[in-house]
Amino acid sequence: MPSRPTIARTIPALRRALEGLRARKASIALVPTMGALHDGHVSLVQLAKRRARKVVVSIFVNPTQFAPSEDFGSYPRTWKSDLARLTAEGVDLVWNPDVGTMYPDGFASRIITDGPATVGLEDRFRPHFFGGVATVVGKLFTQVRPDIAVFGEKDFQQLRVVTRMAADLDLGVKVIGSKTVRERDGLAMSSRNVYLTPEQRHAAPILFRTMKEAARRLRAGEDVHAAVGSAVETISAAGFSVDYFEIRHAETLAPITSLRDGPLRILVAAKIGTTRLIDNIAV
Ligand code: PAF
């Protein structure tokens, strides 16, 4: 039976646990999460295990990346099953601070992001989001000082923002993206999928199907504008309100006008009922 990971909830406890892990100069991978772990997170942990000797998973629902109108209060918290999954995967350390530990009284500093954080995708609809993500991930990187950190490609803009930040601030961590894990019908795994009603869950794979169809059309020579227009129509007809369906340069996330401007990434965000889903694929 795999042994339960060490659990640290305070900065001194984290330091002690890390000293133990670093003995004999073992490499350390960090997988930052907000808990509510699913098979997508497990695949991040498995990639981390292949790339480093020791694996640290952080579980912290970060209030600063949620707007007051968003789901911070109702975000799923599933500590027991999260811990069981991490134990089964042989994770070494779980870093599980509370809000007061991460943001003590008087906390007044923030990482401001530009570049991939201001390209008009998630930032257009969640203007508070990347400031909160960059600040908490910057803190996690300085607290844990990992050699590598693994993030899901599902949050593609987040992956680009965090990669840029780690390089810009010389944080000494290599950020690695991990492929999106999908349900059998193509829906990208997400902790927020539990919000979907059975009807909405039935409709949700249209996002992936429509991105695949748009990629096919682009490769067949269809104009970007036409491919995007018909994708938005298809997704709207399935009951979604589309925030964006965009084809961007995969590295810079800059807008493009043709397949020749590639490598390209299709990115979508759309709401069904009160649940907002995001997804992306390579063209
Ligand atoms: O992707 C997430 O779960 C969060 O945005 C992250 C990276 C753990 C920061 O809170």
Side-chain angles (χ1 to χ4, degrees):
M1 258 238 324
S3 54
R4 209 186 73 165
T6 304
I7 297 165
R9 294 208 161 93
T10 63
I11 297 283
L14 176 69
R15 293 218 170 110
R16 274 194 305 276
L18 287 169
E19 265 166 35
L21 292 189
R22 284 207 186 90
R24 286 193 243 122
K25 302 209 183 322
S27 55
I28 294 186
L30 171 67
V31 182
T33 82
M34 299 206 297
L37 304 182
H38 48 66
D39 288 354
H41 294 110
V42 169
S43 79
L44 305 183
V45 170
Q46 290 171 345
L47 177 58
K49 282 203 75 140
R50 290 197 296 276
R51 298 292 189 93
R53 287 271 307 284
K54 302 288 179 189
V55 175
V56 180
V57 174
S58 61
I59 297 186
F60 178 64
V61 186
N62 174 35
T64 65
Q65 67 190 73
F66 291 79
S69 58
E70 292 181 345
D71 56 342
F72 174 70
S74 57
Y75 194 84
R77 286 153 171 93
T78 56
W79 171 255
K80 266 196 175 163
S81 70
D82 290 353
L83 192 59
R85 273 178 178 265
L86 298 179
T87 302
E89 294 305 318
V91 164
D92 299 282
L93 171 61
V94 178
W95 171 219
N96 179 224
D98 63 16
V99 173
T101 300
M102 273 308 218
Y103 301 112
D105 277 352
F107 185 89
S109 307
R110 204 172 169 77
I111 294 177
I112 297 170
T113 49
D114 205 334
T118 55
V119 292
L121 295 167
E122 284 304 287
D123 48 298
R124 189 149 54 99
F125 296 90
R126 306 184 70 194
H128 54 281
F129 181 66
F130 288 120
V133 167
T135 301
V136 80
V137 171
K139 279 179 69 87
L140 292 168
F141 284 178
T142 51
Q143 290 162 345
V144 176
R145 284 181 287 117
D147 300 283
I148 67 165
V150 184
F151 289 80
E153 283 188 348
K154 172 164 170 291
D155 294 278
F156 199 74
Q157 191 179 3
Q158 170 175 277
L159 174 61
R160 289 283 172 266
V161 169
V162 165
T163 304
R164 185 74 256 166
M165 177 195 69
D168 288 350
L169 301 183
D170 300 316
L171 296 179
V173 49
K174 183 174 165 51
V175 175
I176 297 177
S178 183
K179 267 177 75 115
T180 302
V181 179
R182 298 182 180 280
E183 305 286 357
R184 290 167 76 92
D185 59 10
L187 176 64
M189 289 196 183
S190 162
S191 305
R192 290 190 167 100
N193 289 350
V194 297
Y195 298 153
L196 298 170
T197 65
E199 294 73 30
Q200 292 165 347
R201 173 66 190 79
H202 184 72
I206 194 74
L207 298 183
F208 181 54
R209 281 206 299 274
T210 308
M211 286 191 296
K212 279 206 310 192
E213 174 60 12
R216 191 194 64 73
R217 287 181 182 213
L218 287 169
R219 286 193 299 265
E222 188 168 290
D223 156 75
V224 168
H225 195 70
V228 168
S230 99
V232 171
E233 246 175 54
T234 306
I235 295 172
S236 306
F240 280 88
S241 144
V242 179
D243 279 352
Y244 58 81
F245 187 102
E246 299 242 4
I247 298 158
R248 294 291 183 101
H249 190 280
E251 291 301 324
T252 63
L253 300 181
I256 54 90
T257 50
S258 103
L259 199 61
R260 285 186 301 280
D261 299 339
L264 303 186
R265 198 89 191 174
I266 302 180
L267 303 104
V268 63
K271 243 179 160 179
I272 187 156
T274 53
T275 304
R276 187 169 181 276
L277 301 178
I278 63 171
D279 201 353
N280 64 86
I281 62 167
V283 175

